[in-house]
Amino acid sequence: MTDNQQPSTTPVKGFGWTCSGLLTPRDAANLRRFNAWNIGLALFFAGSTLAIAADLVPNPIGFVLVGLTLVLGIGAIRRYVLFLREADELLRKIQLEAIAIAFGGGIVLMLGWGLLEQLGLPRIEGSLFAAAMLIAWGIGQAVGVRHYAEDVS
Amino acid sequence: MKNRLRVLRAERRWSQADLAGHLGVSRQTVNAVETGKYDPSLPLAFGFAKLFDMRIEEIFFPNGDEASGA
């Protein structure tokens, strides 16, 4: 039962472009925290990549940068799991379906491209598959929102 | 799964947002349940039942079994 939770159900605009209409204030707050971790991770990853690639840091510090990047990544995952646990149940379902599309799509793309490479197509960096999974995650959310779109009543 | 939520809500002159507010879910969730696009979790179904002071099977019923719930 949800009697003791009582979040307001006024939709919050401006967050999570595809699911914004589904966000209760609690979901929006959780998503803000998740986004903050993501921004921190992205900035730290970019900085670490540049520093290591340009040989700006000695090896021991490079390992520390990698370790901190991983810590930020784990923190972001934890925030996303907490967001899902507390999310409105339709939003959670849409997110689950989007993750399925992203994860499955990524696997299929990797396997398919692996075969195409054997046929002579150029090799693709693994990070591009990760980017494709993120894009598929966004598409999956849009598909979910559209699927459960409300009828005018 | 079909349901009588729209009728029950109309009887009380509640909007979807009102109903969502009572249950702590988004209005879109209420809409998706009402239109049969989404089957609610058991806790949410109990929430509907408690709110309308009815049993779950009086509100929700399998497709093609509408009469049994009325």
Side-chain angles (χ1 to χ4, degrees):
Chain A
M1 204 71 75
T2 55
D3 285 358
N4 58 344
Q5 297 171 1
Q6 292 299 329
S8 161
T9 56
T10 306
V12 175
K13 294 180 178 173
F15 299 102
W17 15 282
T18 55
C19 290
S20 59
L22 284 161
L23 296 178
T24 63
R26 182 181 56 198
D27 296 333
N30 283 333
L31 193 55
R32 269 197 302 274
R33 293 188 193 105
F34 172 58
N35 286 340
W37 277 91
N38 275 334
I39 290 168
L41 172 64
L43 292 176
F44 204 86
F45 176 74
S48 299
T49 302
L50 289 174
I52 292 171
D55 259 342
L56 295 176
V57 291
N59 242 359
I61 295 179
F63 282 113
V64 171
L65 290 180
V66 172
L68 289 174
T69 304
L70 292 177
V71 168
L72 285 171
I74 291 167
I77 292 169
R78 181 175 165 273
R79 280 301 345 162
Y80 184 66
V81 171
L82 292 175
F83 162 68
L84 283 182
R85 279 183 189 162
E86 296 185 351
D88 172 79
E89 62 181 68
L90 180 60
L91 174 62
R92 190 163 53 226
K93 188 177 175 72
I94 290 172
Q95 285 290 322
L96 177 66
E97 291 177 7
I99 291 168
I101 289 171
F103 185 77
I107 298 279
V108 168
L109 185 64
M110 263 189 269
L111 292 174
W113 198 266
L115 287 174
L116 290 173
E117 281 176 6
Q118 294 180 34
L119 293 174
L121 267 74
R123 189 168 181 76
I124 284 186
E125 285 247 1
S127 57
L128 285 179
F129 289 114
M133 288 172 83
L134 283 175
I135 292 169
W137 182 35
I139 292 171
Q141 290 180 57
V143 169
V145 168
R146 186 176 169 80
H147 180 73
Y148 295 106
E150 55 190 89
D151 295 335
V152 177
S153 57
Chain B
M1 196 160 59
K2 292 194 173 184
N3 63 76
R4 297 175 56 214
L5 286 179
R6 181 162 294 180
V7 173
L8 295 171
R9 182 169 61 77
E11 286 173 357
R12 287 156 181 81
R13 300 183 182 212
W14 286 348
S15 66
Q16 290 181 342
D18 294 331
L19 183 51
H22 283 297
L23 295 164
V25 297
S26 70
R27 187 179 58 78
Q28 284 81 355
T29 295
V30 169
N31 181 275
V33 173
E34 245 185 35
T35 54
K37 290 180 177 175
Y38 170 65
D39 293 336
S41 67
L42 198 52
L44 182 55
F46 272 114
F48 282 119
K50 184 180 176 186
L51 192 61
F52 291 119
D53 196 23
M54 300 172 85
R55 292 180 306 170
I56 288 177
E57 60 267 34
E58 291 175 317
I59 302 174
F60 298 96
F61 33 86
N63 285 334
D65 195 20
E66 189 161 351
S68 67

Short mmCIF file of all heavy atoms in Angstrom, two decimals, chain B residues 12-35:
data_model
loop_
_atom_site.label_atom_id
_atom_site.label_comp_id
_atom_site.label_asym_id
_atom_site.label_seq_id
_atom_site.Cartn_x
_atom_site.Cartn_y
_atom_site.Cartn_z
N ARG B 12 -17.83 9.47 -8.15
CA ARG B 12 -17.31 10.33 -7.07
C ARG B 12 -16.88 11.70 -7.59
O ARG B 12 -16.35 12.51 -6.85
CB ARG B 12 -16.14 9.63 -6.39
CG ARG B 12 -16.61 8.47 -5.51
CD ARG B 12 -15.53 7.43 -5.31
NE ARG B 12 -15.99 6.31 -4.49
CZ ARG B 12 -16.72 5.29 -4.97
NH1 ARG B 12 -17.07 5.28 -6.24
NH2 ARG B 12 -17.10 4.31 -4.17
N ARG B 13 -17.01 11.89 -8.89
CA ARG B 13 -16.63 13.15 -9.54
C ARG B 13 -15.15 13.47 -9.29
O ARG B 13 -14.78 14.60 -9.01
CB ARG B 13 -17.51 14.30 -9.07
CG ARG B 13 -18.96 14.04 -9.39
CD ARG B 13 -19.85 15.18 -9.02
NE ARG B 13 -21.23 14.82 -9.32
CZ ARG B 13 -22.15 15.69 -9.69
NH1 ARG B 13 -21.84 16.95 -9.83
NH2 ARG B 13 -23.38 15.30 -9.93
N TRP B 14 -14.36 12.43 -9.37
CA TRP B 14 -12.92 12.61 -9.22
C TRP B 14 -12.27 12.67 -10.60
O TRP B 14 -12.68 11.95 -11.52
CB TRP B 14 -12.29 11.43 -8.47
CG TRP B 14 -12.58 11.41 -7.00
CD1 TRP B 14 -13.11 12.41 -6.25
CD2 TRP B 14 -12.34 10.31 -6.11
NE1 TRP B 14 -13.23 12.00 -4.94
CE2 TRP B 14 -12.77 10.73 -4.83
CE3 TRP B 14 -11.82 9.04 -6.26
CZ2 TRP B 14 -12.67 9.91 -3.71
CZ3 TRP B 14 -11.72 8.22 -5.16
CH2 TRP B 14 -12.14 8.65 -3.89
N SER B 15 -11.26 13.48 -10.73
CA SER B 15 -10.45 13.46 -11.94
C SER B 15 -9.41 12.34 -11.78
O SER B 15 -9.23 11.79 -10.69
CB SER B 15 -9.74 14.80 -12.13
OG SER B 15 -8.80 14.98 -11.09
N GLN B 16 -8.76 12.04 -12.88
CA GLN B 16 -7.67 11.05 -12.79
C GLN B 16 -6.59 11.54 -11.84
O GLN B 16 -5.99 10.75 -11.11
CB GLN B 16 -7.08 10.79 -14.18
CG GLN B 16 -8.01 10.03 -15.09
CD GLN B 16 -7.40 9.78 -16.46
OE1 GLN B 16 -6.44 10.42 -16.84
NE2 GLN B 16 -7.98 8.84 -17.19
N ALA B 17 -6.34 12.84 -11.86
CA ALA B 17 -5.32 13.40 -10.96
C ALA B 17 -5.74 13.24 -9.50
O ALA B 17 -4.90 12.96 -8.63
CB ALA B 17 -5.09 14.88 -11.29
N ASP B 18 -7.04 13.42 -9.21
CA ASP B 18 -7.53 13.22 -7.84
C ASP B 18 -7.27 11.79 -7.39
O ASP B 18 -6.76 11.55 -6.29
CB ASP B 18 -9.04 13.50 -7.76
CG ASP B 18 -9.38 14.95 -8.03
OD1 ASP B 18 -8.53 15.82 -7.75
OD2 ASP B 18 -10.49 15.21 -8.53
N LEU B 19 -7.64 10.86 -8.27
CA LEU B 19 -7.47 9.44 -7.93
C LEU B 19 -5.97 9.11 -7.75
O LEU B 19 -5.59 8.43 -6.80
CB LEU B 19 -8.08 8.57 -9.04
CG LEU B 19 -8.07 7.07 -8.85
CD1 LEU B 19 -8.65 6.68 -7.50
CD2 LEU B 19 -8.86 6.39 -9.97
N ALA B 20 -5.17 9.64 -8.65
CA ALA B 20 -3.73 9.41 -8.55
C ALA B 20 -3.19 9.96 -7.24
O ALA B 20 -2.34 9.35 -6.58
CB ALA B 20 -3.01 10.04 -9.74
N GLY B 21 -3.69 11.14 -6.86
CA GLY B 21 -3.23 11.77 -5.62
C GLY B 21 -3.56 10.92 -4.40
O GLY B 21 -2.76 10.81 -3.47
N HIS B 22 -4.74 10.30 -4.40
CA HIS B 22 -5.13 9.42 -3.29
C HIS B 22 -4.21 8.20 -3.19
O HIS B 22 -3.99 7.68 -2.10
CB HIS B 22 -6.57 8.95 -3.46
CG HIS B 22 -7.59 9.99 -3.13
ND1 HIS B 22 -7.74 10.52 -1.86
CD2 HIS B 22 -8.52 10.60 -3.89
CE1 HIS B 22 -8.71 11.42 -1.86
NE2 HIS B 22 -9.20 11.49 -3.08
N LEU B 23 -3.72 7.76 -4.34
CA LEU B 23 -2.97 6.49 -4.37
C LEU B 23 -1.45 6.69 -4.42
O LEU B 23 -0.70 5.72 -4.32
CB LEU B 23 -3.42 5.66 -5.58
CG LEU B 23 -4.87 5.19 -5.52
CD1 LEU B 23 -5.36 4.73 -6.86
CD2 LEU B 23 -5.01 4.07 -4.48
N GLY B 24 -1.01 7.91 -4.65
CA GLY B 24 0.43 8.16 -4.69
C GLY B 24 1.10 7.66 -5.95
O GLY B 24 2.25 7.22 -5.92
N VAL B 25 0.36 7.70 -7.06
CA VAL B 25 0.95 7.32 -8.35
C VAL B 25 0.75 8.47 -9.32
O VAL B 25 0.07 9.45 -9.00
CB VAL B 25 0.30 6.03 -8.92
CG1 VAL B 25 0.56 4.86 -8.01
CG2 VAL B 25 -1.20 6.23 -9.13
N SER B 26 1.32 8.35 -10.51
CA SER B 26 1.15 9.42 -11.49
C SER B 26 -0.22 9.33 -12.15
O SER B 26 -0.83 8.25 -12.18
CB SER B 26 2.25 9.34 -12.55
OG SER B 26 2.05 8.21 -13.37
N ARG B 27 -0.68 10.46 -12.67
CA ARG B 27 -1.97 10.45 -13.36
C ARG B 27 -1.92 9.53 -14.57
O ARG B 27 -2.90 8.87 -14.92
CB ARG B 27 -2.31 11.88 -13.79
CG ARG B 27 -3.71 12.02 -14.37
CD ARG B 27 -4.00 13.45 -14.76
NE ARG B 27 -3.04 13.96 -15.73
CZ ARG B 27 -3.08 13.68 -17.03
NH1 ARG B 27 -4.01 12.88 -17.50
NH2 ARG B 27 -2.18 14.18 -17.84
N GLN B 28 -0.76 9.47 -15.22
CA GLN B 28 -0.63 8.60 -16.39
C GLN B 28 -0.79 7.13 -16.02
O GLN B 28 -1.27 6.34 -16.82
CB GLN B 28 0.72 8.84 -17.07
CG GLN B 28 0.79 10.12 -17.88
CD GLN B 28 1.04 11.35 -17.01
OE1 GLN B 28 1.07 11.25 -15.77
NE2 GLN B 28 1.22 12.50 -17.62
N THR B 29 -0.37 6.79 -14.81
CA THR B 29 -0.56 5.41 -14.36
C THR B 29 -2.04 5.10 -14.22
O THR B 29 -2.53 4.06 -14.68
CB THR B 29 0.17 5.18 -13.02
OG1 THR B 29 1.57 5.32 -13.23
CG2 THR B 29 -0.11 3.78 -12.47
N VAL B 30 -2.78 6.02 -13.60
CA VAL B 30 -4.23 5.83 -13.46
C VAL B 30 -4.87 5.72 -14.84
O VAL B 30 -5.71 4.85 -15.09
CB VAL B 30 -4.86 7.01 -12.67
CG1 VAL B 30 -6.38 6.97 -12.76
CG2 VAL B 30 -4.42 6.96 -11.22
N ASN B 31 -4.43 6.58 -15.77
CA ASN B 31 -4.99 6.53 -17.13
C ASN B 31 -4.71 5.20 -17.80
O ASN B 31 -5.60 4.59 -18.41
CB ASN B 31 -4.41 7.68 -17.95
CG ASN B 31 -4.98 7.70 -19.36
OD1 ASN B 31 -4.48 7.01 -20.23
ND2 ASN B 31 -6.04 8.47 -19.57
N ALA B 32 -3.47 4.72 -17.67
CA ALA B 32 -3.10 3.47 -18.33
C ALA B 32 -3.85 2.28 -17.72
O ALA B 32 -4.22 1.34 -18.43
CB ALA B 32 -1.58 3.25 -18.22
N VAL B 33 -4.09 2.33 -16.41
CA VAL B 33 -4.87 1.25 -15.76
C VAL B 33 -6.31 1.33 -16.23
O VAL B 33 -6.91 0.32 -16.62
CB VAL B 33 -4.78 1.36 -14.22
CG1 VAL B 33 -5.72 0.36 -13.56
CG2 VAL B 33 -3.35 1.13 -13.74
N GLU B 34 -6.86 2.53 -16.20
CA GLU B 34 -8.26 2.72 -16.61
C GLU B 34 -8.53 2.22 -18.01
O GLU B 34 -9.56 1.60 -18.28
CB GLU B 34 -8.59 4.22 -16.56
CG GLU B 34 -9.62 4.58 -15.54
CD GLU B 34 -10.01 6.05 -15.59
OE1 GLU B 34 -10.04 6.64 -16.69
OE2 GLU B 34 -10.29 6.60 -14.52
N THR B 35 -7.62 2.51 -18.91
CA THR B 35 -7.83 2.15 -20.32
C THR B 35 -7.40 0.71 -20.61
O THR B 35 -7.47 0.27 -21.75
CB THR B 35 -7.05 3.11 -21.24
OG1 THR B 35 -5.68 3.12 -20.85
CG2 THR B 35 -7.61 4.51 -21.15
#
